[in-house]
Amino acid sequence: MNWKSLRTALTVPTELPRQGPRLQTNLDTDLLKLAAIVSMLIDHVGGAFFPEAGAFRWIGRLAFPIFCYCMTVGLLYTRDIKRYLGRLAVFAVVSQPFYVLAFHPHDWMVDRNWSNWNIFFTLFLSLLAMYGFKERKWWLFLGALFAVSWWNFDYSGMGIQLMLIFFLCRNHPKIGAALYVLSYLPALWNGYPEDPLCLTLGGLTADWSIFAVFAALLIFIPTRSGLKIPKWFFYAFYPVHLAVIAAVQFML
């Protein structure tokens, strides 16, 4: 490859087919989103009310990779990526007070530790980075990657890593599934026996993030449920369920 070809590859936005599927993985996104929010709800109920019951948090590990995958589908199919990013930004801001009240009231109100941010901020920065990657706007990709990795955002740069796998392997699901599983394998030996959320079997302690590998079954195996749910339900569910958790904690 000569210099001119290399410069073109790095600066010209990725061309996508105008017809036919843009992914050969699961496009049943309403089913996937429903699975993700149910997983997230179980995770948050466990975190708020049963902090040492591992099963709640294990199930919850499915949510984040599924959300990242659905955003990758959105990146490839949406007609207006800026509006998509705008929705994520708005709901990140709207959800933040409820997130704080549900999970970090002491940090924000007593210690003034304003560094705990809800997952919508991570998703926003991950999608922004991938938009920069897709359009070859490297300053945008690197800036979003730096922001999500440097500050205290949940999952750090893991969202961008997952979305890169989903995007680059969109027409090679077997390779994508292999890379996805490999990205979580270090969790098999990174667990701590004293952590009640980790899983110990035969003297080996796995970090609880290992349960995210099971999301591959939903992401890489196509389904056709025909399920149709208004998109605003998925956005509204996040702040609403946080508000309910905060209210229940206040009453207990």
Side-chain angles (χ1 to χ4, degrees):
M1 178 182 289
N2 58 36
W3 169 247
K4 184 177 180 181
S5 299
L6 178 61
R7 188 175 69 173
T8 300
L10 292 174
T11 56
V12 176
T14 303
E15 291 291 336
L16 298 172
R18 295 184 179 181
Q19 295 180 345
R22 298 177 183 181
L23 294 98
Q24 294 183 22
T25 44
N26 196 359
L27 292 175
D28 196 357
T29 52
D30 279 7
L31 177 64
L32 288 173
K33 290 176 185 177
L34 184 61
I37 64 172
V38 170
S39 169
M40 178 182 65
L41 176 62
I42 293 171
D43 180 51
H44 287 174
V45 168
F49 305 108
F50 310 100
E52 295 191 359
F56 288 88
R57 313 310 302 278
W58 299 346
I59 295 172
R61 296 313 93 203
L62 302 177
F64 183 71
I66 294 177
F67 282 133
C68 289
Y69 174 74
C70 290
M71 287 201 310
T72 306
V73 176
L75 177 68
L76 292 166
Y77 281 89
T78 187
R79 296 179 179 178
D80 191 339
I81 188 65
K82 294 180 181 179
R83 181 173 294 181
Y84 189 7
L85 285 164
R87 288 196 298 268
L88 287 174
V90 167
F91 276 90
V93 173
V94 169
S95 301
Q96 186 61 21
F98 304 112
Y99 175 75
V100 170
L101 290 172
F103 295 111
H104 301 284
H106 187 275
D107 289 353
W108 280 65
M109 299 175 186
V110 179
D111 295 338
R112 297 294 190 268
N113 178 22
W114 299 333
S115 62
N116 295 295
W117 304 98
N118 71 74
I119 199 65
F120 262 101
F121 286 103
T122 303
L123 295 176
F124 168 79
L125 287 170
S126 299
L127 181 59
L128 186 65
M130 286 305 301
Y131 170 65
F133 182 88
K134 175 176 172 290
E135 299 298 322
R136 304 296 195 264
K137 297 180 179 180
W138 301 113
W139 61 272
L140 188 59
F141 173 78
L142 293 173
L145 176 61
F146 174 80
V148 79
S149 302
W150 182 260
W151 283 281
N152 187 29
F153 292 102
D154 278 349
Y155 295 97
S156 187
M158 189 65 179
I160 298 174
Q161 178 182 325
L162 292 176
M163 291 185 71
L164 280 170
I165 292 173
F166 300 144
F167 181 82
L168 294 174
C169 300
R170 58 191 180 276
N171 293 317
H172 304 281
K174 292 181 180 179
I175 297 175
L179 291 175
Y180 175 84
V181 172
L182 285 172
S183 69
Y184 281 103
L185 283 187
L188 287 175
W189 54 82
N190 283 343
Y192 297 93
E194 61 272 16
D195 186 346
L197 301 180
C198 291
L199 179 66
T200 301
L201 292 173
L204 179 68
T205 302
D207 184 77
W208 45 304
S209 63
I210 190 62
F211 289 92
V213 299
F214 293 105
L217 298 174
L218 292 168
I219 292 169
F220 292 100
I221 299 177
T223 57
R224 294 177 176 83
S225 68
L227 189 67
K228 297 295 181 184
I229 301 175
K231 68 179 180 182
W232 293 109
F233 170 80
F234 297 113
Y235 286 100
F237 182 86
Y238 187 71
V240 169
H241 94 280
L242 291 176
V244 171
I245 288 174
V248 173
Q249 287 182 317
F250 179 78
M251 291 185 292
L252 291 179

